[in-house]
Amino acid sequence: MCKKLIAVVMLVTLAGLMLAACAAPPPAAPQIVKETVVVKETTAPVKETVVIRETAVPVAQPTAVPQKDRVQVYWYIGLGAGAQPDQIKAEKPWIDKFNASQTEIQLIPIIVDNKYARDNLTAQIAAGNSPDIVGPVGAEGRAAFPGAFLDLEPMVKEFNYNLSDVDPAFVQFYKEEGKLVGLPFAIYPSIMYVNKDLFKEAKLALPPQKVGDKYTLDGKQVDWNFDTVMEVAKRLTVDKAGNDATSAKFDPKNVVQYGFVPQWVDDDARWLGSYWGAAYPVDAKGSAVIPDNWKAGWKWYYDAIWKFRVAPNQSAIDGDLLKGNAFSSGKVGMALTHLWYTCCIDKKNVANWDIAVVPSYNGKITAKMHADTFAIMKDSKHPKEAFKVYQYMLGAGSADLYKIYGGLPARKAQQADFFKGLDTQFAPNKVNWQVALDMIPLMDIPNHQVGLPNNNKANDAFKKLDSDIKSNEKLDVDKRIADFVVEIDKIFKEKPAQ
């Protein structure tokens, strides 16, 4: 009898994690979970058990019992999306449906809270317990594990997998160091969300919905670029006395409505700067090369927050007015972000909204792209069986996964049904989804999430720069950027911490 892997070693504390998949119904309300599972090998039949301690309701839940007549394929969820309670509830029936269709494979999930997934997966790989499939996961999540994923091109050829319905640019998008580490699944182009009621109230024209169209401001046709966005944002930003940010009477200490926010894409200066143009900030010798367009974007954002007061600072974002979700509060006129933000718009606060073209910089639009996929681990013990699951994820089972994860299908034939679902979700509001499709060819290449030398420390440095821009009114932004260039160059050349 072949040896069987019982489980993995983990000692993590997970908030609100429900290990529901392949399990009995979850307990009432586990709040804090400390999970300890032991690795050993045995020749005897085994039953996997997840022991959950230190919870409000101590429980021990059985997970899947490996079936002797099946090959077990382990699916690691949490490095990207997938570990939210509502998603876990939906993933369980999806997995049950797949397993019910099988006589060869048993799919077993490993679900870890996103906050802990990177470190946990690192530990599993180091212990020789690599799962078979990881995902959904974006470029940033994959970048934390350079060289850990299988090149799928041999599988694509062996299984004659059909990619004719996918834009070839997306196939290239998933190539890292010459290897195809994922196949196109869900994509999230950037768009500008617009609160139409606030534009109407300010007597402003709506931003263009066709690439190349001008914006009408004060009766004149002007380019839809970041300069125009700043001007429009001033008209949309209002204090409690009703003065907008163009007025000499405007009170920046009592703003009740903002003109613009980079919605949840401003935690990392690299992400934000990429709207001013795509770039990879490392040259062939490993030195930092921070492009001038990124520096211009960072200074534009600092001015929007602290000079013109048309974008909320970190304190305002977290405050009572915006409550951490600025555009959804109904108190922001424009939000630049990705299609995934449809997840989080409250129809009660923003009943009348639409989307518009991403503004240009120096005549060029860069609609940076997020894209999720699944990856097969290089150390998978059953790569061919994993690829069969993979084909189901992107094929017969994909429609249900798109509902769970909210992504626009990369396959063109599946996109119309996806938008019908959003129309139903936001009815009676009408959104011109063609704008999102038109942004796809304008994606950032190289992508802003591609791995960096000394990746984790480098990303932390970009996030600290962005935090300083949002939080420090007295920041000498030119000096901070100059210091950052020196700092990030040093980080790129350091040996990564183990």
Side-chain angles (χ1 to χ4, degrees):
M1 180 181 296
C2 64
K3 293 181 179 180
K4 296 182 180 294
L5 181 67
I6 291 184
V8 297
V9 175
M10 283 198 298
L11 185 60
V12 294
T13 301
L14 307 177
L17 174 62
M18 295 187 298
L19 291 165
C22 289
Q31 299 299 317
I32 303 296
V33 177
K34 178 173 284 188
E35 181 181 6
T36 304
V37 186
V38 179
V39 170
K40 58 175 70 172
E41 289 183 336
T42 179
T43 57
V46 297
K47 179 179 181 179
E48 288 187 276
T49 301
V50 174
V51 180
I52 303 175
R53 299 189 179 95
E54 296 187 6
T55 70
V57 184
V59 294
Q61 285 187 185
T63 62
V65 178
Q67 296 174 250
K68 296 179 181 178
D69 59 341
R70 306 278 184 92
V71 173
Q72 279 73 50
V73 171
Y74 289 85
W75 175 17
Y76 193 91
I77 302 170
L79 194 59
Q84 293 298 314
D86 287 346
Q87 293 173 324
I88 295 172
K89 289 177 184 176
E91 285 158 350
K92 182 184 184 307
W94 189 94
I95 293 165
D96 289 345
K97 183 178 180 180
F98 172 81
N99 285 333
S101 73
Q102 288 292 303
T103 58
E104 178 189 6
I105 297 169
Q106 181 186 13
L107 183 60
I108 299 176
I110 303 169
I111 305 175
V112 180
D113 188 288
N114 178 261
K115 293 179 181 177
Y116 308 95
R118 188 180 75 185
D119 292 343
N120 177 256
L121 183 57
T122 300
Q124 292 206 38
I125 293 171
N129 294 315
S130 195
D132 299 289
I133 298 174
V134 173
V137 59
E140 189 171 76
R142 295 194 304 276
F145 298 93
F149 301 112
L150 189 70
D151 183 359
L152 298 179
E153 289 213 87
M155 292 285 187
V156 170
K157 294 178 181 176
E158 180 177 345
F159 286 85
N160 196 27
Y161 186 75
N162 184 5
L163 287 168
S164 62
D165 191 32
V166 178
D167 189 326
F170 277 118
V171 178
Q172 293 300 316
F173 184 87
Y174 289 107
K175 284 195 173 181
E176 296 174 3
E177 298 181 344
K179 296 179 179 178
L180 184 64
V181 298
L183 296 174
F185 171 63
I187 58 177
Y188 311 90
S190 285
I191 44 184
M192 182 75 90
Y193 291 78
V194 176
N195 186 324
K196 294 170 68 175
D197 288 337
L198 300 189
F199 270 76
K200 183 178 181 180
E201 186 177 273
K203 299 180 180 178
L204 288 165
L206 294 173
Q209 293 188 311
K210 290 184 178 179
V211 175
D213 278 3
K214 301 286 187 179
Y215 181 72
T216 303
L217 183 65
D218 297 331
K220 299 178 180 178
Q221 298 291 296
V222 298
D223 291 337
W224 180 241
N225 55 29
F226 279 100
D227 290 339
T228 302
V229 169
M230 187 75 85
E231 188 57 37
V232 173
K234 292 176 185 176
R235 317 284 180 99
L236 290 165
T237 301
V238 180
D239 67 16
K240 67 178 183 181
N243 302 306
D244 71 32
T246 66
S247 170
K249 297 179 180 179
F250 175 68
D251 178 6
K253 295 182 179 179
N254 288 288
V255 176
V256 296
Q257 176 180 301
Y258 289 93
F260 171 82
V261 68
Q263 180 76 45
W264 295 341
V265 291
D266 59 341
D267 289 336
D268 186 318
R270 187 181 173 202
W271 288 32
L272 183 73
S274 293
Y275 282 118
W276 277 256
Y280 188 64
V282 191
D283 68 14
K285 296 181 180 179
S287 298
V289 280
I290 304 300
D292 288 342
N293 50 322
W294 286 13
K295 296 174 185 177
W298 298 337
K299 288 193 280 189
W300 184 96
Y301 186 38
Y302 183 85
D303 285 347
I305 296 172
W306 301 109
K307 182 177 181 180
F308 301 115
R309 308 283 181 165
V310 300
N313 59 34
Q314 188 62 63
S315 178
I317 291 172
D318 297 334
D320 291 340
L321 181 68
L322 306 181
K323 295 182 172 60
N325 187 354
F327 186 78
S328 185
S329 71
K331 303 297 183 184
V332 176
M334 297 177 285
L336 182 58
T337 186
H338 292 264
L339 185 61
W340 45 248
Y341 185 61
T342 54
C343 69
C344 304
I345 299 174
D346 189 336
K347 294 194 296 184
K348 291 180 292 186
N349 296 333
V350 194
N352 193 22
W353 60 276
D354 207 338
I355 57 177
V357 170
V358 171
S360 65
Y361 177 71
N362 283 344
K364 183 177 181 179
I365 296 172
T366 304
K368 72 182 184 72
M369 176 70 74
H370 283 171
D372 278 347
T373 189
F374 301 92
I376 296 177
M377 301 299 292
K378 182 184 65 178
D379 295 332
S380 166
K381 296 177 177 59
H382 305 290
K384 291 187 178 181
E385 288 79 6
F387 192 75
K388 291 178 180 178
V389 177
Y390 200 116
Q391 291 179 88
Y392 181 82
M393 288 173 155
L394 272 60
S398 62
D400 291 332
L401 289 182
Y402 289 128
K403 292 178 183 175
I404 296 172
Y405 303 127
L408 171 64
R411 289 186 178 278
K412 296 176 183 177
Q414 298 172 323
Q415 292 174 349
D417 286 342
F418 171 77
F419 286 127
K420 284 181 182 177
L422 288 181
D423 284 337
T424 300
Q425 178 181 344
F426 291 105
N429 187 52
K430 297 290 186 182
V431 176
N432 182 2
W433 299 115
Q434 183 61 42
V435 178
L437 297 175
D438 291 345
M439 293 297 100
I440 293 173
L442 304 173
M443 73 178 89
D444 55 325
I445 299 176
N447 185 260
H448 60 285
Q449 293 182 308
V450 171
L452 299 169
N454 201 0
N455 186 72
N456 296 341
K457 188 171 182 180
N459 282 331
D460 289 345
F462 275 103
K463 291 176 181 177
K464 180 63 170 61
L465 171 60
D466 200 276
S467 176
D468 288 348
I469 290 172
K470 287 190 296 185
S471 304
N472 187 355
E473 183 176 5
K474 304 297 184 183
L475 185 70
D476 182 339
V477 67
D478 289 318
K479 183 178 186 302
R480 179 67 179 89
I481 291 173
D483 291 345
F484 171 78
V485 173
V486 175
E487 176 192 10
I488 198 69
D489 182 72
K490 181 180 177 182
I491 291 172
F492 286 161
K493 294 173 180 173
E494 286 178 358
K495 183 179 180 181
Q498 299 298 315

